Amino acid sequence: VERAADGVANILVNARDGQGSPLAGLAFSSRAVRPTDRRGDREASLVEAESAVYRGKVADVAPGQWETVVAGDAPGRRARRREGRHLME
């Protein structure tokens, strides 16, 4: 996750399984959570830009501490979920 000067956060997910094989064809979503004020939370859908590489953008991301939650779903099941904390400058 990287935040641009205009406040847009660019999200990139390179989806691989435990053996390193690409996970293509998933539906990924992302949520940027502001720990100090949940009213500032932002959501985005990610699109598969190339095989197993998913990209998305979240607008109006203020500088500071954010938590990100990324979830990838396959038909009928949750394939992946990842959480992280990021300092957006």
Side-chain angles (χ1 to χ4, degrees):
V1 178
E2 292 183 0
R3 182 185 173 275
D6 63 359
V8 174
N10 295 295
I11 302 165
L12 171 71
V13 174
N14 188 342
R16 306 267 174 197
D17 67 13
Q19 290 74 40
S21 299
L23 294 173
L26 300 178
F28 271 94
S29 62
S30 177
R31 190 167 35 113
V33 177
R34 192 71 188 252
T36 57
D37 185 359
R38 300 284 182 186
R39 294 173 296 176
D41 292 3
R42 305 282 187 262
E43 294 190 21
S45 295
L46 282 64
V47 296
E48 192 168 10
E50 54 190 87
S51 182
V53 177
Y54 302 84
R55 296 180 186 272
K57 294 181 184 234
V58 179
D60 300 323
V61 175
Q65 190 75 38
W66 288 83
E67 295 174 0
T68 56
V69 179
V70 177
D73 295 318
R77 67 181 179 92
R78 165 101 349 131
R80 288 285 212 224
R81 180 182 167 98
R82 176 97 186 204
E83 297 183 29
R85 185 167 277 208
H86 305 277
L87 179 61
M88 307 281 192
E89 297 189 56

